[in-house]
């Protein structure tokens, strides 16, 4: 069975508690300390829970929380992605997509490893959480996941070269 993520929101008299459940991990947050404590107490009656403190890492994200902001970073995720697809030593690109690039579904040589292409594009989709500047280029490359050709792979590699230039 696949992994399941659920998001629960409790709004009560202007107080907000949010619970994110991912497999066996819970993230609790809210705007009222008393409501948060009560929610933790209620959940601990039903589930064995362990308090791990303030959130620092979650699903490849580094989380830095202060009173004023929440900063998400995927630098390690991006480096691991470059390593996985053997692009740590690649040249850099200043843009994620060739200016005025025209992609076509039917042009180019057949690419044998469509699964690798899909994994790479899927990984880039996740990276758009913290790098919205690649969203358009990744969105274009999603169109070719069914039947990728070599030019599509080269365009995706260009996105990775751009990502490397940003970390």
């Amino acid at each position: 069975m696949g992994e399941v993520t659920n998001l629960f929101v409790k709004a009560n008299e202007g107080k907000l508690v949010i619970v994110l459940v991912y497999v066996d991990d819970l993230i609790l947050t809210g705007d009222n300390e008393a409501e948060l404590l009560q929610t933790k107490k209620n959940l601990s009656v039903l589930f064995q829970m362990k308090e791990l403190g303030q959130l620092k890492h979650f699903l490849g994200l580094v989380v830095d929380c202060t009173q004023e902001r929440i900063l998400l970073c995927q630098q390690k995720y991006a480096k691991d992605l470059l390593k996985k697809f053997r692009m740590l030593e690649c040249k850099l690109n200043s843009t994620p997509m060739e200016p005025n690039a025209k992609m076509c579904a039917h042009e180019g040589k057949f690419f044998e490893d469509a699964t690798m292409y899909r994994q790479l594009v899927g990984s880039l989709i996740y990276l758009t959480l913290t790098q919205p500047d690649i969203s358009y280029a990744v969105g274009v490359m999603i169109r070719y996941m069914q039947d990728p050709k070599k030019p599509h792979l080269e365009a995706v590699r260009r996105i990775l070269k751009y990502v490397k230039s940003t970390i």
Side-chain angles (χ1 to χ4, degrees):
M1 189 166 165
E3 298 167 352
V4 177
T5 304
N6 289 293
L7 179 69
F8 300 94
V9 178
K10 177 184 174 187
N12 185 20
E13 297 177 2
K15 301 171 195 164
L16 182 68
V17 174
I18 300 171
V19 180
L20 177 68
V21 180
Y22 180 77
V23 186
D24 62 351
D25 291 326
L26 296 173
I27 298 175
L28 288 105
T29 190
D31 61 1
N32 184 280
E33 193 64 34
E35 281 293 315
L36 270 172
L37 290 172
Q38 186 60 49
T39 302
K40 287 179 189 179
K41 188 175 176 181
N42 294 345
L43 287 170
S44 66
V45 170
L46 298 170
F47 306 104
Q48 183 179 3
M49 293 175 42
K50 181 178 176 184
E51 177 71 42
L52 298 176
Q54 188 168 354
L55 181 65
K56 300 271 188 232
H57 301 275
F58 188 71
L59 300 177
L61 292 164
V62 175
V63 182
D64 181 22
C65 298
T66 68
Q67 283 291 100
E68 297 80 34
R69 63 173 170 72
I70 298 174
L71 179 66
L72 302 176
C73 178
Q74 288 179 300
Q75 186 174 19
K76 182 182 180 321
Y77 178 83
K79 285 181 182 177
D80 290 347
L81 187 59
L82 289 162
K83 182 178 179 182
K84 179 180 179 180
F85 291 101
R86 297 185 199 114
M87 297 207 44
L88 275 174
E89 304 303 319
C90 69
K91 293 182 181 181
L92 306 180
N93 273 339
S94 59
T95 60
M97 192 170 206
E98 187 74 39
N100 303 315
K102 303 279 191 260
M103 288 284 128
C104 181
H106 306 292
E107 290 181 9
K109 289 186 176 182
F110 178 72
F111 181 62
E112 300 83 28
D113 195 354
T115 299
M116 188 271 285
Y117 179 87
R118 292 178 189 123
Q119 288 174 342
L120 180 50
V121 173
S123 298
L124 287 170
I125 291 169
Y126 188 59
L127 193 57
T128 63
L129 290 172
T130 58
Q131 285 204 242
D133 50 338
I134 66 170
S135 294
Y136 176 77
V138 172
V140 170
M141 303 323 301
I142 289 170
R143 299 175 193 163
Y144 307 103
M145 288 179 74
Q146 186 64 33
D147 187 26
K149 304 285 192 292
K150 294 216 179 203
H152 306 136
L153 179 62
E154 290 308 311
V156 169
R157 285 187 172 148
R158 180 183 178 93
I159 298 170
L160 274 178
K161 290 175 183 179
Y162 172 77
V163 166
K164 183 178 180 196
S165 74
T166 65
I167 58 173

